[in-house]
Amino acid sequence: MCRSIKTLRPPSLPEEATEEDIRAAALQFVRKVSGFRAPAAHNREVFDRAIDEIAASTARLLDGLEVRGGVRTP
């Protein structure tokens, strides 16, 4: 779906994902789902809130993942 979103966990990313990496992925997701590259002024608040919520969920997901040996990357 979002080809520009990269995998943010090892071994695909050699070090831990930064807050910037996570926010960039959230922005790409929101752009794809909404169909807007940038929202109109009247949609800015909901657009930004979605990015914040998705970034927070992504950070929790990455913090909770346990990557074991033999991991395949997509």
Side-chain angles (χ1 to χ4, degrees):
M1 179 169 125
C2 296
R3 295 173 195 220
S4 59
I5 298 176
K6 62 185 177 182
T7 301
L8 298 180
R9 64 164 179 78
S12 296
L13 195 65
E15 66 281 342
E16 283 191 29
T18 65
E19 188 175 319
E20 184 178 313
D21 293 328
I22 292 170
R23 188 155 181 86
L27 172 61
Q28 289 301 317
F29 180 80
V30 170
R31 285 177 172 170
K32 185 66 164 187
V33 170
S34 70
F36 296 110
R37 179 162 172 27
H42 61 277
N43 287 325
R44 170 57 67 186
E45 185 179 337
V46 70
F47 195 88
D48 289 344
R49 186 172 46 241
I51 293 167
D52 292 342
E53 291 172 2
I54 292 165
S57 293
T58 300
R60 285 191 302 273
L61 170 68
L62 292 173
D63 287 344
L65 287 176
E66 180 181 331
V67 181
R68 296 184 177 183
V71 176
R72 296 184 333 186
T73 56

